[in-house]
């Protein structure tokens, strides 16, 4: 699959078949994270691979009641807990270098995008789950400071691939020329 086609056709998936995602497929997904860009090559990301079905159910119980991913987590073949070391990117010698102290979120986002595109290329589906009780989920997975549990990535074989996605803003709506608010 060409990269542009993968970007244009990838969709969030919340319904999975009983297909077993292989360790080889998981390693390809993780390798795509490994080669993601990061602040000063700090590679702040950490991932927990969860296959234990009981633990997967407990993790889904930390999701908000209104989270549509609550139901799909139990049917996913694997969950990848998305974690990052929060005091690494944007810092040097424990001193904050920029206005923003959450560059770990940016770096983790780049890695997760690569992971999702790789999963899609392998004909697997995924959805980023961020609406959850982060503290409870981190306790379940024994994630401790300075690491943060940011989200969960359920992965599996989609019941169906949706061909179209939600409406997107026109490029002209989010593009400026030379200065902000000059369309």
């Amino acid at each position: 699959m060409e990269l542009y086609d993968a970007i244009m056709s990838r969709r969030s998936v919340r319904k999975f078949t009983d297909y077993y995602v292989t360790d080889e497929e998981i390693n390809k997904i993780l390798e795509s994270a490994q080669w993601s860009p990061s602040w000063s090559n700090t590679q702040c990301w950490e991932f927990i691979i969860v296959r234990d079905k009981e633990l997967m159910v407990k993790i889904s119980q930390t999701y908000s009641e209104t989270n549509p991913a609550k139901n799909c987590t139990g049917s996913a073949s694997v969950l990848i807990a998305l974690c990052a070391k929060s005091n690494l990117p944007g810092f040097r010698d424990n001193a904050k270098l920029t206005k923003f102290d959450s560059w770990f979120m940016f770096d983790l986002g780049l890695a997760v995008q690569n992971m999702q595109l790789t999963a899609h290329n392998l004909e697997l589906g995924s959805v980023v789950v961020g609406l959850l009780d982060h503290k409870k989920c981190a306790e379940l997975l024994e994630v401790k400071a300075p690491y943060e549990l940011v989200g969960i990535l359920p992965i599996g074989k989609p019941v169906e691939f949706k061909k179209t996605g939600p409406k997107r803003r026109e490029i002209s709506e989010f593009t400026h020329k030379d200065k902000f608010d000059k369309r």
Side-chain angles (χ1 to χ4, degrees):
M1 180 181 303
E2 294 292 323
L3 177 61
Y4 184 78
D5 293 335
I7 291 168
M8 300 307 280
S9 63
R10 190 216 58 82
R11 302 286 177 264
S12 293
V13 175
R14 294 180 184 87
K15 291 182 180 177
F16 302 108
T17 68
D18 60 358
Y19 175 82
Y20 184 83
V21 176
T22 67
D23 290 344
E24 181 182 335
E25 290 168 321
I26 293 170
N27 283 333
K28 283 183 181 178
I29 291 166
L30 294 171
E31 186 176 33
S32 71
Q34 177 186 22
W35 287 97
S36 299
S38 65
W39 175 289
S40 291
N41 196 31
T42 52
Q43 303 173 51
C44 67
W45 48 77
E46 299 282 335
F47 303 106
I48 304 168
I49 310 306
V50 180
R51 290 241 196 225
D52 181 288
K53 287 295 184 183
E54 286 182 32
L55 183 54
M56 291 168 83
V57 169
K58 288 178 184 175
I59 290 169
S60 72
Q61 291 169 347
T62 69
Y63 298 178
S64 163
E65 287 301 320
T66 60
N67 191 328
K70 192 171 185 76
N71 296 329
C72 80
T73 295
S75 67
S77 179
V78 63
L79 302 181
I80 300 180
L82 311 171
C83 305
K85 190 171 185 184
S86 60
N87 64 353
L88 195 56
F91 291 81
R92 186 159 293 125
D93 299 323
N94 291 321
K96 185 169 86 167
L97 299 178
T98 73
K99 171 184 171 182
F100 305 104
D101 60 2
S102 54
W103 279 100
F104 72 97
M105 296 289 285
F106 187 86
D107 288 357
L108 183 60
L110 292 168
V112 172
Q113 177 70 14
N114 279 8
M115 294 167 74
Q116 288 193 288
L117 288 171
T118 300
H120 180 57
N121 190 54
L122 295 170
E123 298 183 356
L124 300 172
S126 63
V127 62
V128 175
V129 180
L131 186 55
L132 64 140
D133 184 325
H134 290 85
K135 184 178 179 196
K136 282 183 185 176
C137 195
E139 287 171 1
L140 275 174
L141 297 170
E142 300 179 7
V143 177
K144 295 175 179 63
Y147 296 93
E148 295 287 343
L149 175 107
V150 175
I152 302 293
L153 188 68
I155 299 176
K157 183 72 79 174
V159 169
E160 67 175 329
F161 275 107
K162 290 186 178 178
K163 301 217 185 288
T164 60
K167 183 177 176 353
R168 299 293 184 177
R169 292 168 52 201
E170 295 297 324
I171 294 171
S172 62
E173 293 180 55
F174 59 82
T175 307
H176 309 267
K177 183 173 184 201
D178 294 327
K179 296 184 180 185
F180 199 85
D181 273 344
K182 287 194 173 188
R183 306 280 176 186

mmCIF file of all heavy atoms in Angstrom, residues 94-127:
data_model
loop_
_atom_site.group_PDB
_atom_site.id
_atom_site.type_symbol
_atom_site.label_atom_id
_atom_site.label_comp_id
_atom_site.label_asym_id
_atom_site.label_seq_id
_atom_site.Cartn_x
_atom_site.Cartn_y
_atom_site.Cartn_z
ATOM 1 N N ASN A 94 17.161 18.311 33.440
ATOM 2 C CA ASN A 94 15.937 18.551 34.217
ATOM 3 C C ASN A 94 15.405 19.977 34.117
ATOM 4 O O ASN A 94 14.541 20.368 34.892
ATOM 5 C CB ASN A 94 16.116 18.157 35.685
ATOM 6 C CG ASN A 94 16.245 16.658 35.841
ATOM 7 O OD1 ASN A 94 15.554 15.898 35.152
ATOM 8 N ND2 ASN A 94 17.118 16.220 36.728
ATOM 9 N N ALA A 95 15.917 20.765 33.194
ATOM 10 C CA ALA A 95 15.431 22.132 32.999
ATOM 11 C C ALA A 95 14.552 22.166 31.754
ATOM 12 O O ALA A 95 14.929 21.667 30.695
ATOM 13 C CB ALA A 95 16.599 23.094 32.841
ATOM 14 N N LYS A 96 13.384 22.785 31.906
ATOM 15 C CA LYS A 96 12.457 22.930 30.784
ATOM 16 C C LYS A 96 13.031 23.938 29.796
ATOM 17 O O LYS A 96 13.425 25.039 30.179
ATOM 18 C CB LYS A 96 11.101 23.390 31.315
ATOM 19 C CG LYS A 96 10.019 23.462 30.265
ATOM 20 C CD LYS A 96 8.648 23.669 30.864
ATOM 21 C CE LYS A 96 8.391 25.137 31.069
ATOM 22 N NZ LYS A 96 7.002 25.462 31.356
ATOM 23 N N LEU A 97 13.092 23.559 28.521
ATOM 24 C CA LEU A 97 13.722 24.395 27.511
ATOM 25 C C LEU A 97 12.743 25.249 26.715
ATOM 26 O O LEU A 97 13.174 26.186 26.041
ATOM 27 C CB LEU A 97 14.527 23.525 26.537
ATOM 28 C CG LEU A 97 15.661 22.707 27.157
ATOM 29 C CD1 LEU A 97 16.338 21.855 26.086
ATOM 30 C CD2 LEU A 97 16.672 23.614 27.824
ATOM 31 N N THR A 98 11.464 24.921 26.731
ATOM 32 C CA THR A 98 10.495 25.664 25.930
ATOM 33 C C THR A 98 9.277 26.009 26.781
ATOM 34 O O THR A 98 9.130 25.547 27.915
ATOM 35 C CB THR A 98 10.003 24.852 24.716
ATOM 36 O OG1 THR A 98 9.127 23.824 25.159
ATOM 37 C CG2 THR A 98 11.145 24.259 23.938
ATOM 38 N N LYS A 99 8.397 26.785 26.210
ATOM 39 C CA LYS A 99 7.146 27.147 26.876
ATOM 40 C C LYS A 99 6.334 25.906 27.232
ATOM 41 O O LYS A 99 5.676 25.848 28.257
ATOM 42 C CB LYS A 99 6.340 28.063 25.939
ATOM 43 C CG LYS A 99 4.941 28.353 26.391
ATOM 44 C CD LYS A 99 4.194 29.182 25.350
ATOM 45 C CE LYS A 99 2.737 29.282 25.703
ATOM 46 N NZ LYS A 99 1.975 30.027 24.708
ATOM 47 N N PHE A 100 6.393 24.895 26.384
ATOM 48 C CA PHE A 100 5.568 23.700 26.555
ATOM 49 C C PHE A 100 6.343 22.612 27.278
ATOM 50 O O PHE A 100 7.485 22.326 26.930
ATOM 51 C CB PHE A 100 5.085 23.192 25.192
ATOM 52 C CG PHE A 100 4.350 24.244 24.398
ATOM 53 C CD1 PHE A 100 4.961 24.879 23.332
ATOM 54 C CD2 PHE A 100 3.055 24.600 24.752
ATOM 55 C CE1 PHE A 100 4.292 25.850 22.611
ATOM 56 C CE2 PHE A 100 2.381 25.579 24.035
ATOM 57 C CZ PHE A 100 2.993 26.211 22.971
ATOM 58 N N ASP A 101 5.712 22.011 28.254
ATOM 59 C CA ASP A 101 6.389 20.940 29.000
ATOM 60 C C ASP A 101 5.795 19.568 28.692
ATOM 61 O O ASP A 101 6.025 18.616 29.410
ATOM 62 C CB ASP A 101 6.358 21.210 30.502
ATOM 63 C CG ASP A 101 4.956 21.305 31.066
ATOM 64 O OD1 ASP A 101 3.979 21.122 30.315
ATOM 65 O OD2 ASP A 101 4.838 21.557 32.272
ATOM 66 N N SER A 102 5.067 19.477 27.590
ATOM 67 C CA SER A 102 4.436 18.201 27.254
ATOM 68 C C SER A 102 4.850 17.705 25.872
ATOM 69 O O SER A 102 4.055 17.105 25.162
ATOM 70 C CB SER A 102 2.915 18.316 27.359
ATOM 71 O OG SER A 102 2.441 19.388 26.577
ATOM 72 N N TRP A 103 6.094 17.910 25.504
ATOM 73 C CA TRP A 103 6.581 17.423 24.218
ATOM 74 C C TRP A 103 6.493 15.911 24.127
ATOM 75 O O TRP A 103 6.459 15.345 23.037
ATOM 76 C CB TRP A 103 8.009 17.905 23.966
ATOM 77 C CG TRP A 103 8.035 19.306 23.460
ATOM 78 C CD1 TRP A 103 8.295 20.428 24.195
ATOM 79 C CD2 TRP A 103 7.753 19.761 22.139
ATOM 80 N NE1 TRP A 103 8.195 21.544 23.400
ATOM 81 C CE2 TRP A 103 7.862 21.155 22.130
ATOM 82 C CE3 TRP A 103 7.420 19.109 20.960
ATOM 83 C CZ2 TRP A 103 7.662 21.919 20.989
ATOM 84 C CZ3 TRP A 103 7.208 19.876 19.821
ATOM 85 C CH2 TRP A 103 7.326 21.253 19.840
ATOM 86 N N PHE A 104 6.443 15.230 25.266
ATOM 87 C CA PHE A 104 6.299 13.772 25.243
ATOM 88 C C PHE A 104 5.011 13.374 24.544
ATOM 89 O O PHE A 104 4.955 12.336 23.882
ATOM 90 C CB PHE A 104 6.381 13.171 26.654
ATOM 91 C CG PHE A 104 5.198 13.436 27.527
ATOM 92 C CD1 PHE A 104 4.185 12.494 27.648
ATOM 93 C CD2 PHE A 104 5.088 14.613 28.259
ATOM 94 C CE1 PHE A 104 3.084 12.712 28.467
ATOM 95 C CE2 PHE A 104 3.993 14.844 29.083
ATOM 96 C CZ PHE A 104 2.986 13.896 29.181
ATOM 97 N N MET A 105 3.973 14.183 24.651
ATOM 98 C CA MET A 105 2.703 13.891 23.980
ATOM 99 C C MET A 105 2.875 13.991 22.455
ATOM 100 O O MET A 105 2.330 13.178 21.710
ATOM 101 C CB MET A 105 1.611 14.853 24.447
ATOM 102 C CG MET A 105 1.267 14.726 25.914
ATOM 103 S SD MET A 105 0.393 13.197 26.291
ATOM 104 C CE MET A 105 -1.222 13.574 25.640
ATOM 105 N N PHE A 106 3.621 14.978 22.020
ATOM 106 C CA PHE A 106 3.877 15.156 20.589
ATOM 107 C C PHE A 106 4.660 13.967 20.056
ATOM 108 O O PHE A 106 4.288 13.357 19.047
ATOM 109 C CB PHE A 106 4.649 16.470 20.388
ATOM 110 C CG PHE A 106 4.824 16.860 18.957
ATOM 111 C CD1 PHE A 106 3.846 17.586 18.298
ATOM 112 C CD2 PHE A 106 5.968 16.516 18.264
ATOM 113 C CE1 PHE A 106 4.000 17.961 16.968
ATOM 114 C CE2 PHE A 106 6.147 16.888 16.933
ATOM 115 C CZ PHE A 106 5.149 17.606 16.294
ATOM 116 N N ASP A 107 5.747 13.622 20.746
ATOM 117 C CA ASP A 107 6.587 12.510 20.298
ATOM 118 C C ASP A 107 5.826 11.190 20.310
ATOM 119 O O ASP A 107 5.936 10.384 19.378
ATOM 120 C CB ASP A 107 7.833 12.399 21.176
ATOM 121 C CG ASP A 107 8.833 13.520 20.932
ATOM 122 O OD1 ASP A 107 8.602 14.360 20.036
ATOM 123 O OD2 ASP A 107 9.851 13.559 21.645
ATOM 124 N N LEU A 108 5.055 10.963 21.349
ATOM 125 C CA LEU A 108 4.259 9.734 21.418
ATOM 126 C C LEU A 108 3.223 9.713 20.293
ATOM 127 O O LEU A 108 2.985 8.682 19.672
ATOM 128 C CB LEU A 108 3.576 9.597 22.783
ATOM 129 C CG LEU A 108 2.780 8.316 23.001
ATOM 130 C CD1 LEU A 108 3.661 7.081 22.887
ATOM 131 C CD2 LEU A 108 2.096 8.358 24.365
ATOM 132 N N GLY A 109 2.633 10.869 20.004
ATOM 133 C CA GLY A 109 1.666 10.956 18.910
ATOM 134 C C GLY A 109 2.272 10.580 17.567
ATOM 135 O O GLY A 109 1.645 9.893 16.762
ATOM 136 N N LEU A 110 3.500 11.026 17.319
ATOM 137 C CA LEU A 110 4.184 10.658 16.077
ATOM 138 C C LEU A 110 4.381 9.147 16.007
ATOM 139 O O LEU A 110 4.140 8.519 14.969
ATOM 140 C CB LEU A 110 5.542 11.354 15.992
ATOM 141 C CG LEU A 110 5.523 12.873 15.806
ATOM 142 C CD1 LEU A 110 6.918 13.449 16.029
ATOM 143 C CD2 LEU A 110 5.001 13.243 14.434
ATOM 144 N N ALA A 111 4.803 8.552 17.121
ATOM 145 C CA ALA A 111 5.030 7.103 17.150
ATOM 146 C C ALA A 111 3.725 6.335 16.943
ATOM 147 O O ALA A 111 3.681 5.362 16.187
ATOM 148 C CB ALA A 111 5.688 6.707 18.474
ATOM 149 N N VAL A 112 2.660 6.791 17.591
ATOM 150 C CA VAL A 112 1.368 6.093 17.490
ATOM 151 C C VAL A 112 0.804 6.216 16.078
ATOM 152 O O VAL A 112 0.231 5.263 15.554
ATOM 153 C CB VAL A 112 0.379 6.602 18.565
ATOM 154 C CG1 VAL A 112 -1.020 6.033 18.345
ATOM 155 C CG2 VAL A 112 0.889 6.229 19.955
ATOM 156 N N GLN A 113 0.981 7.354 15.436
ATOM 157 C CA GLN A 113 0.528 7.490 14.049
ATOM 158 C C GLN A 113 1.244 6.474 13.167
ATOM 159 O O GLN A 113 0.621 5.810 12.340
ATOM 160 C CB GLN A 113 0.770 8.911 13.533
ATOM 161 C CG GLN A 113 0.388 9.113 12.083
ATOM 162 C CD GLN A 113 -1.106 9.085 11.821
ATOM 163 O OE1 GLN A 113 -1.914 9.166 12.738
ATOM 164 N NE2 GLN A 113 -1.485 8.976 10.568
ATOM 165 N N ASN A 114 2.554 6.338 13.354
ATOM 166 C CA ASN A 114 3.288 5.322 12.583
ATOM 167 C C ASN A 114 2.740 3.926 12.870
ATOM 168 O O ASN A 114 2.598 3.107 11.964
ATOM 169 C CB ASN A 114 4.782 5.362 12.925
ATOM 170 C CG ASN A 114 5.526 6.444 12.186
ATOM 171 O OD1 ASN A 114 4.951 7.280 11.517
ATOM 172 N ND2 ASN A 114 6.835 6.439 12.337
ATOM 173 N N MET A 115 2.452 3.648 14.126
ATOM 174 C CA MET A 115 1.927 2.335 14.503
ATOM 175 C C MET A 115 0.585 2.069 13.839
ATOM 176 O O MET A 115 0.335 0.978 13.321
ATOM 177 C CB MET A 115 1.806 2.248 16.033
ATOM 178 C CG MET A 115 3.140 2.285 16.746
ATOM 179 S SD MET A 115 2.987 2.551 18.528
ATOM 180 C CE MET A 115 2.391 0.950 19.050
ATOM 181 N N GLN A 116 -0.297 3.062 13.846
ATOM 182 C CA GLN A 116 -1.616 2.882 13.250
ATOM 183 C C GLN A 116 -1.528 2.691 11.743
ATOM 184 O O GLN A 116 -2.243 1.860 11.174
ATOM 185 C CB GLN A 116 -2.528 4.057 13.584
ATOM 186 C CG GLN A 116 -2.971 4.049 15.031
ATOM 187 C CD GLN A 116 -4.097 5.017 15.243
ATOM 188 O OE1 GLN A 116 -3.894 6.225 15.226
ATOM 189 N NE2 GLN A 116 -5.295 4.487 15.420
ATOM 190 N N LEU A 117 -0.655 3.441 11.078
ATOM 191 C CA LEU A 117 -0.499 3.278 9.637
ATOM 192 C C LEU A 117 0.096 1.911 9.301
ATOM 193 O O LEU A 117 -0.311 1.271 8.329
ATOM 194 C CB LEU A 117 0.364 4.404 9.064
ATOM 195 C CG LEU A 117 -0.323 5.767 9.020
ATOM 196 C CD1 LEU A 117 0.681 6.857 8.658
ATOM 197 C CD2 LEU A 117 -1.500 5.771 8.063
ATOM 198 N N THR A 118 1.019 1.445 10.120
ATOM 199 C CA THR A 118 1.594 0.118 9.896
ATOM 200 C C THR A 118 0.547 -0.959 10.117
ATOM 201 O O THR A 118 0.445 -1.902 9.327
ATOM 202 C CB THR A 118 2.816 -0.105 10.810
ATOM 203 O OG1 THR A 118 3.793 0.902 10.500
ATOM 204 C CG2 THR A 118 3.416 -1.485 10.616
ATOM 205 N N ALA A 119 -0.246 -0.831 11.181
ATOM 206 C CA ALA A 119 -1.322 -1.799 11.424
ATOM 207 C C ALA A 119 -2.269 -1.819 10.219
ATOM 208 O O ALA A 119 -2.647 -2.892 9.735
ATOM 209 C CB ALA A 119 -2.078 -1.449 12.705
ATOM 210 N N HIS A 120 -2.633 -0.663 9.734
ATOM 211 C CA HIS A 120 -3.527 -0.572 8.578
ATOM 212 C C HIS A 120 -2.905 -1.251 7.359
ATOM 213 O O HIS A 120 -3.579 -1.993 6.632
ATOM 214 C CB HIS A 120 -3.844 0.894 8.292
ATOM 215 C CG HIS A 120 -4.753 1.121 7.137
ATOM 216 N ND1 HIS A 120 -6.008 0.566 7.045
ATOM 217 C CD2 HIS A 120 -4.583 1.845 6.010
ATOM 218 C CE1 HIS A 120 -6.584 0.944 5.914
ATOM 219 N NE2 HIS A 120 -5.738 1.712 5.270
ATOM 220 N N ASN A 121 -1.620 -1.031 7.153
ATOM 221 C CA ASN A 121 -0.919 -1.655 6.041
ATOM 222 C C ASN A 121 -0.918 -3.183 6.165
ATOM 223 O O ASN A 121 -0.901 -3.887 5.164
ATOM 224 C CB ASN A 121 0.515 -1.125 5.960
ATOM 225 C CG ASN A 121 1.216 -1.536 4.703
ATOM 226 O OD1 ASN A 121 0.723 -1.302 3.594
ATOM 227 N ND2 ASN A 121 2.363 -2.172 4.842
ATOM 228 N N LEU A 122 -0.971 -3.690 7.394
ATOM 229 C CA LEU A 122 -1.032 -5.132 7.653
ATOM 230 C C LEU A 122 -2.471 -5.653 7.630
ATOM 231 O O LEU A 122 -2.733 -6.792 8.013
ATOM 232 C CB LEU A 122 -0.390 -5.448 9.008
ATOM 233 C CG LEU A 122 1.104 -5.170 9.131
ATOM 234 C CD1 LEU A 122 1.565 -5.283 10.581
ATOM 235 C CD2 LEU A 122 1.891 -6.123 8.226
ATOM 236 N N GLU A 123 -3.404 -4.786 7.213
ATOM 237 C CA GLU A 123 -4.839 -5.091 7.171
ATOM 238 C C GLU A 123 -5.409 -5.345 8.559
ATOM 239 O O GLU A 123 -6.328 -6.137 8.756
ATOM 240 C CB GLU A 123 -5.124 -6.250 6.214
ATOM 241 C CG GLU A 123 -4.737 -5.916 4.788
ATOM 242 C CD GLU A 123 -5.074 -7.007 3.785
ATOM 243 O OE1 GLU A 123 -5.549 -8.089 4.195
ATOM 244 O OE2 GLU A 123 -4.860 -6.760 2.595
ATOM 245 N N LEU A 124 -4.847 -4.619 9.534
ATOM 246 C CA LEU A 124 -5.350 -4.646 10.906
ATOM 247 C C LEU A 124 -5.967 -3.292 11.201
ATOM 248 O O LEU A 124 -5.671 -2.304 10.528
ATOM 249 C CB LEU A 124 -4.199 -4.923 11.886
ATOM 250 C CG LEU A 124 -3.459 -6.243 11.681
ATOM 251 C CD1 LEU A 124 -2.232 -6.305 12.577
ATOM 252 C CD2 LEU A 124 -4.388 -7.427 11.943
ATOM 253 N N GLY A 125 -6.808 -3.257 12.217
ATOM 254 C CA GLY A 125 -7.446 -2.010 12.606
ATOM 255 C C GLY A 125 -7.036 -1.631 14.016
ATOM 256 O O GLY A 125 -6.579 -2.467 14.801
ATOM 257 N N SER A 126 -7.217 -0.357 14.331
ATOM 258 C CA SER A 126 -6.874 0.148 15.654
ATOM 259 C C SER A 126 -7.693 1.398 15.939
ATOM 260 O O SER A 126 -8.274 1.995 15.035
ATOM 261 C CB SER A 126 -5.381 0.470 15.729
ATOM 262 O OG SER A 126 -5.053 1.496 14.808
ATOM 263 N N VAL A 127 -7.709 1.770 17.204
ATOM 264 C CA VAL A 127 -8.332 3.025 17.621
ATOM 265 C C VAL A 127 -7.585 3.506 18.858
ATOM 266 O O VAL A 127 -7.251 2.710 19.731
ATOM 267 C CB VAL A 127 -9.850 2.862 17.893
ATOM 268 C CG1 VAL A 127 -10.124 1.888 19.031
ATOM 269 C CG2 VAL A 127 -10.505 4.210 18.174
#
